[in-house]
Amino acid sequence: MATEAPKPSGFLPASSFVRIEAAALNDLASRLDGAMLAPFTEAVELLIRAADNRQNIVVTGIGKSGIIARKIAATLRSTGTSAHFLQPAEAIHGDLGMVSHSDVVLALSSSGETEELLRLLPTLRRLAARLVTFCSCPASTLAQASDIFLDTSVSAEACPLNLAPTASTTVMLALGDALALEVSRRRGWKAEDFADLHPGGRLGRRLSRVRDLMHRGDALPSVSAETPMPQVIHEMSHKKLGMTTVLDGDSLLGMISDGDLRRLLERDGSHALERSAGDMMNRHPLTIEGDAFASTALALMEERKITSLIVLGEQGRVEGVLHLHDLWTI
């Protein structure tokens, strides 16, 4: 039987690293409920004004803070607020050209003494750019030069040596998310807007419109109320959606599903083929608008235990049919 290797002195379980970062986030949340609420709100309003006035929002940082700065800029863009990442070492060699008069610069530095950021300050002052700082040291050069200082201090890093940026970068990331999301909420960002910026991948498919996924035109199964049952069955088999609409022109009269057909055959036997579509159709099928999200359609199908929805457009005209198979990948 194998003997467990002795644990080194001072051993801590891996979960302790996560708990240290969680504690740092709790401290940040407490500051946002208290002393940091006012500057945070001011920063939100500053970014909203910049976005509304089409001014640049530039996020900058270097090293680990730079990685977080890139993510914050991406989150701002993803939630409807144009933002750009500026690499500070490149900035002093020409990239500062992306900052214009009265733009907003969001600078990340744990120490507040990052040389590459401090070298940007004279140019930012000349441009009258507004400076918002994520920093752990309120007395630092960067914090003192900023218009708005947001405290990202932590009592300890998760690193056992208290050296590697871990808890501090987690706090920066969470604060950046909070800032971006509050700006997004205040600007009235909606799911429809989010969908327009995320057309790819599974997320994009979930946010697709029903109209983009439905079967239309020649792929739409349809018969008239007078269509005899043999032709109804042919239409259902040919279009392979397990149903057919019953239409008067573009207007919906009803729907016939595989289940409706089975129930008719059980009840009437061979006489079922003597019926017409209008005799047996469901006159009140479930419908959905073409502008609805695919995720909404999927939830409705699962709730009502059905496999098809008829898509209606303006004045109740039938635009297409959405089948459950079209939604299985969302």
Side-chain angles (χ1 to χ4, degrees), residues 7-191:
K7 296 177 181 177
S9 176
F11 171 84
L12 292 174
S15 60
S16 67
F17 305 138
V18 177
R19 290 192 175 93
I20 290 170
E21 298 201 12
L25 290 175
N26 281 328
D27 289 343
L28 173 66
S30 296
R31 291 198 295 274
L32 283 171
D33 286 333
M36 209 165 82
L37 177 59
F40 177 83
T41 302
E42 186 181 355
V44 168
E45 293 171 349
L46 182 63
L47 265 62
I48 290 172
R49 287 196 300 272
D52 290 346
N53 294 330
R54 298 186 180 280
Q55 294 170 311
N56 293 319
I57 297 173
V58 177
V59 191
T60 187
I62 203 162
K64 304 300 187 296
S65 296
I67 294 170
I68 302 302
R70 285 183 184 274
K71 168 58 170 63
I72 293 171
T75 301
L76 283 163
R77 291 193 299 270
S78 180
T79 53
T81 302
S82 180
H84 309 280
F85 172 73
L86 174 64
Q87 213 282 353
E90 298 294 338
I92 59 176
H93 294 285
D95 280 6
L96 257 175
M98 73 169 59
V99 183
S100 302
H101 191 272
S102 299
D103 285 345
V104 176
V105 175
L106 178 59
L108 279 64
S109 170
S110 181
S111 69
E113 300 295 344
T114 304
E115 180 182 353
E116 292 85 350
L117 290 177
L118 298 185
R119 293 175 70 181
L120 305 182
L121 292 179
T123 303
L124 297 182
R125 292 192 189 99
R126 178 174 56 80
L127 293 172
R130 301 295 302 277
L131 180 61
V132 180
T133 301
F134 283 18
C135 181
S136 299
C137 304
S140 65
T141 304
L142 188 63
Q144 290 295 309
S146 62
D147 297 287
I148 302 172
F149 163 70
L150 296 176
D151 181 10
T152 56
S153 60
V154 297
S155 58
E157 298 286 5
C159 168
L161 302 177
N162 198 31
L163 295 175
T166 45
S168 58
T169 48
T170 297
V171 165
M172 282 184 174
L173 178 60
L175 183 59
D177 285 343
L179 188 64
L181 295 174
E182 180 63 8
V183 169
S184 174
R185 185 188 69 81
R186 291 272 300 275
R187 297 186 70 210
W189 187 249
K190 302 183 294 296

Side-chain angles (χ1 to χ4, degrees), residues 248-260:
D248 179 10
D250 292 330
S251 299
L252 180 65
L253 299 178
M255 183 188 86
I256 301 171
S257 68
D258 279 341
D260 296 326

